[in-house]
Amino acid sequence: MEKEKRRRIIANDHMKGIICIMLAALGFAFMTFFVRISGDLPTMQKAFFRNLVAVFVALFVLLGTEEKFHIKKESYGDIFFRCLFGTSGVIANFYAIDRLDIADANMLNKLSPFFAIIMSIPILKEVPRKMDVICTIIAFIGAAFIIRPGDSLYSVPALIGLYGGFGAGMAYVFVRRLGKKGERTPVIVFCFSAFSCLVLLPFLLLDFQPMTTCQFLCLIMAGVSATLGQFGITSAYKFAPAKEISVFDYMQVVFAAFIGMFFLDEFPAPASILGYVIIIGVAVFRWYFNLKTARD
């Protein structure tokens, strides 16, 4: 009876994790949509407002805790690099969103798990399995169909978008190190968001473009959507291990593609669709392989 009860709890938590990660995917997809429809505003200005909302949400959460803003000394370096790579990754991602189909920009950003595998070798001293290496190589072949290096006018924004995926992957590596050290999620979110706003503030002041009420609301909604994404994905991994639910994060690309088609009249090129199929396919295979290995 006890074993059956525990099985039901695990299954329930697994479902909660899937729901949270799907909500996160929807949040990040709408973030790209609101960033796009905010119009011809500087990338730095858009990125600033994307993080501003998260600062206040994380601040509110931290003020309700006993530890408040306490950070362990051994975490300072990891928090700095999480903020540095996360901020540069967001800027690159926003640059790509303004110049590519939003589905393409999302897909390039979703290469972050594969970059995390690569960078976990020198940073976390984690040696990937042969299957992880093969999956990473295939994923980058899929990315080549999206970047289309033969088209120079298209590939420059795509390469910058690719760096956005790298920055996010590096940030996840340092988040993992911080998690092992016991740092709290609201602290990590607050530090990243506050750091990003401080870095972006000078650019905002030097090149601020007046906004209409509609543009301002779009950027606020981008921030709300991004905050939903950040807290959603963090909550998801509390309910279930990443290896069991991370594949559902790729629904962000599907959501973004449908949003682009219905609201922006964006239809992905055949080469991009092939790239999506390759990357999502290898992600699903890797997820299934990891589950099967764990059960065996």
Side-chain angles (χ1 to χ4, degrees):
M1 182 65 70
E2 188 67 28
K3 188 176 181 180
E4 179 63 21
K5 184 179 179 181
R6 178 173 176 76
R7 189 189 65 79
R8 288 180 180 177
I9 292 175
I10 293 174
N12 188 46
D13 284 347
H14 187 270
M15 182 56 63
K16 288 179 182 178
I18 292 175
I19 292 172
C20 285
I21 206 166
M22 294 280 277
L23 287 174
L26 186 63
F28 284 129
F30 269 107
M31 178 200 75
T32 62
F33 170 69
F34 285 117
V35 167
R36 170 62 69 81
I37 66 172
S38 64
D40 189 20
L41 295 171
T43 298
M44 299 299 194
Q45 189 166 331
K46 293 181 178 182
F48 178 85
F49 282 94
R50 177 253 191 248
N51 288 296
L52 187 62
V53 175
V55 170
F56 288 105
V57 173
L59 180 65
F60 176 79
V61 173
L62 284 173
L63 288 176
T65 64
E66 293 183 3
E67 295 176 288
K68 298 295 189 291
F69 301 97
H70 175 72
I71 302 174
K72 300 174 182 177
K73 288 185 178 180
E74 61 269 25
S75 299
Y76 289 168
D78 291 335
I79 283 184
F80 171 76
F81 284 113
R82 185 270 177 269
C83 295
L84 179 65
F85 285 107
T87 299
S88 60
V90 166
I91 294 171
N93 182 228
F94 274 38
Y95 180 90
I97 289 169
D98 282 337
R99 291 159 179 82
L100 305 175
D101 289 349
I102 60 172
D104 283 6
N106 275 271
M107 190 71 260
L108 291 170
N109 194 250
K110 284 304 164 189
L111 284 169
S112 54
F114 299 102
F115 281 118
I117 291 172
I118 296 171
M119 300 313 298
S120 290
I121 300 172
I123 297 174
L124 299 177
K125 309 302 180 186
E126 294 179 351
V127 179
R129 292 170 298 184
K130 186 182 296 184
M131 184 57 66
D132 288 329
V133 174
I134 294 172
C135 288
T136 301
I137 293 172
I138 295 174
F140 281 108
I141 292 173
F145 285 97
I146 302 173
I147 296 171
R148 298 194 286 282
D151 186 348
S152 59
L153 292 177
Y154 195 87
S155 65
V156 171
L159 286 172
I160 293 175
L162 185 66
Y163 174 80
F166 171 78
M170 285 290 289
Y172 293 155
V173 170
F174 285 104
V175 165
R176 184 169 180 180
R177 275 183 48 156
L178 288 165
K180 289 181 177 181
K181 294 177 180 178
E183 284 298 346
R184 296 167 295 154
T185 297
V187 167
I188 299 171
V189 173
F190 176 78
C191 289
F192 163 60
S193 302
F195 178 91
S196 297
C197 287
L198 288 175
V199 169
L200 294 166
L201 185 59
F203 296 97
L204 177 72
L205 297 176
L206 290 172
D207 190 28
F208 180 79
Q209 298 295 321
M211 297 179 288
T212 65
T213 302
C214 182
Q215 286 178 314
F216 176 74
L217 290 176
C218 282
L219 292 186
I220 293 299
M221 287 306 300
V224 171
S225 300
T227 302
L228 170 64
Q230 285 189 53
F231 279 90
I233 204 164
T234 302
S235 298
Y237 291 133
K238 287 183 178 179
F239 285 120
K243 65 182 180 182
E244 295 181 7
I245 62 172
S246 60
V247 67
F248 294 98
D249 192 28
Y250 282 85
M251 282 301 296
Q252 179 182 334
V253 182
V254 178
F255 290 143
F258 277 111
I259 291 171
M261 286 189 286
F262 284 110
F263 296 105
L264 302 174
D265 289 326
E266 292 181 354
F267 294 88
S272 291
I273 294 174
L274 179 58
Y276 304 160
V277 172
I278 292 173
I279 296 172
I280 295 176
V282 75
V284 171
F285 174 78
R286 180 171 169 263
W287 167 70
Y288 175 77
F289 179 83
N290 286 339
L291 276 184
K292 189 174 184 299
T293 301
R295 287 170 182 168
D296 291 344

